[in-house]
Amino acid sequence: WKKCLYVISESLDQCFVGSWVFAQSPTTRATICGRISDILQDVNGVVLVVLENFQVLSSRDEVYGMPVLVRRDSETTFSIVTGKDIKFNFNVQHDCYTAKCEPSGVRLRRQERVESDQTENFIIHNSLDRFFINSHGFHNAHLLRETLPRDLLAPIPLFDNREEKHHELATALRETQASRKVAAANKKRARAQDDNDAEEEETPAPKKRKKSKAKRGRTIPPTESMVVNRSKRQVKPTAKAKAAAAAAAAAAEESEEEAEESSSDDSGDNANVLQYASDSMNYSD
């Protein structure tokens, strides 16, 4: 026989040694529950799984409300099933509340798979073979609900009479809202009254500030310049500015001459037109 690391279940889960699984009994063909103790394989390839038997109680835990796993008659028994009879694995937690487990262990903290110099506490479980089926987990939740009875997994209502509790909370909420509205109205009315009182009060006249003796006796001398004892600045044109002014004056003179010539030409043309008109009149006579 060879020892194996894991076995593949019907749900295609890798079930290692120490995993909690549901399996089918080879004798009664009933569904049994247990923890894998060993996985063996013979020379022909037949896989046998040794299960440590546990049973599911018919009632939930009073504190956590989850299904409970205990040993049969408080005895350690085993069952041998084939690898094909393993259905699926599920999550199980130890009942530390009942066993009163405490974080009394100390170990080195691992960081990126390397042990560091820092230490941390961890819980050491006491020897109480009482476990919970984690019905809040998502892994194989549908298979777990198909296997266990409905009363072990059905949601537990928070209140017995939901409608009555709803009306009770609604009534309390209405009273709270009404009291808040009254308080807000009173606060608004008081604020408006304070504003009216503040407007009716006379505001005191602002006091005139007296000038200091230094400012009262100081006088500024009337000067043409902004700076005391400095003559007014005179702007002198540059050579470039003078040349530009001369060019502008010459252009103005040329334009005046052209205007005079054009006016003289126009007067001559007008005289010729009048002479032509008089000649034409004499010819017609």
Side-chain angles (χ1 to χ4, degrees):
W1 293 89
K2 296 181 181 179
K3 288 191 175 183
C4 302
L5 296 177
Y6 60 88
V7 62
I8 303 298
S9 63
E10 290 183 2
S11 60
L12 302 180
D13 295 325
Q14 290 184 356
C15 302
F16 298 88
V17 175
S19 299
W20 293 82
V21 296
F22 276 101
Q24 190 174 13
S25 175
T27 56
T28 61
R29 310 308 296 175
T31 302
I32 60 176
C33 174
R35 180 170 53 188
I36 296 178
S37 178
D38 204 352
I39 303 173
L40 303 175
Q41 183 182 15
D42 62 0
V43 293
N44 297 325
V46 178
V47 178
L48 297 180
V49 179
V50 181
L51 291 181
E52 187 178 358
N53 294 325
F54 282 83
Q55 66 177 0
V56 183
L57 296 182
S58 59
S59 60
R60 300 185 182 187
D61 182 71
E62 296 180 356
V63 178
Y64 298 101
M66 292 186 290
V68 182
L69 288 173
V70 294
R71 294 185 183 274
R72 294 180 180 178
D73 299 329
S74 301
E75 296 179 354
T76 303
T77 58
F78 296 91
S79 297
I80 299 176
V81 298
T82 61
K84 296 180 180 180
D85 293 333
I86 303 297
K87 292 186 174 182
F88 63 94
N89 62 355
F90 57 97
N91 183 260
V92 171
Q93 300 295 328
H94 186 250
D95 187 4
C96 296
Y97 179 80
T98 305
K100 297 181 180 180
C101 302
E102 296 180 356
S104 57
V106 179
R107 62 187 176 188
L108 294 177
R109 180 177 297 176
R110 298 179 65 87
Q111 184 175 1
E112 296 182 358
R113 300 183 181 181
V114 178
E115 293 183 351
S116 62
D117 297 335
Q118 299 179 355
T119 59
E120 62 180 359
N121 296 332
F122 66 97
I123 295 178
I124 295 180
H125 298 290
N126 295 329
S127 58
L128 178 64
D129 295 330
R130 180 182 170 90
F131 302 90
F132 297 136
I133 297 178
N134 186 9
S135 57
H136 306 296
F138 293 101
H139 182 65
N140 290 334
H142 61 295
L143 299 176
L144 195 64
R145 281 161 175 75
E146 290 178 359
T147 305
L148 295 178
R150 173 62 180 172
D151 56 348
L152 294 180
L153 297 175
I156 301 175
L158 185 61
F159 305 103
D160 296 334
N161 193 338
R162 180 178 177 274
E163 185 176 359
E164 182 181 355
K165 189 64 178 180
H166 176 77
H167 291 307
E168 180 183 350
L169 295 176
T171 303
L173 181 61
R174 292 191 192 96
E175 295 177 356
T176 304
Q177 291 293 337
S179 60
R180 287 182 180 178
K181 288 182 180 179
V182 172
N186 295 335
K187 187 176 181 180
K188 184 177 181 181
R189 193 180 300 108
R191 189 184 297 111
Q193 185 65 29
D194 294 340
D195 295 341
N196 294 333
D197 295 342
E199 291 178 357
E200 292 177 358
E201 293 180 357
E202 295 181 358
T203 57
K207 296 181 179 180
K208 294 183 179 180
R209 298 179 61 184
K210 296 182 179 180
K211 295 183 179 180
S212 61
K213 294 181 179 180
K215 292 184 178 180
R216 194 183 306 167
R218 187 175 63 184
T219 57
I220 300 175
T223 56
E224 296 180 356
S225 176
M226 296 296 293
V227 184
V228 181
N229 299 328
R230 181 181 294 180
S231 60
K232 188 176 181 180
R233 182 180 178 184
Q234 296 180 359
V235 180
K236 296 181 179 181
T238 60
K240 188 175 182 180
K242 292 179 180 180
E253 291 178 358
E254 291 179 359
S255 61
E256 290 178 358
E257 291 178 357
E258 291 178 357
E260 290 177 358
E261 291 178 358
S262 61
S263 61
S264 61
D265 293 340
D266 293 340
S267 60
D269 293 339
N270 293 333
N272 293 332
V273 170
L274 294 175
Q275 184 65 31
Y276 177 77
S278 60
D279 293 343
S280 61
M281 290 177 65
N282 293 331
Y283 179 76
S284 62
D285 294 339

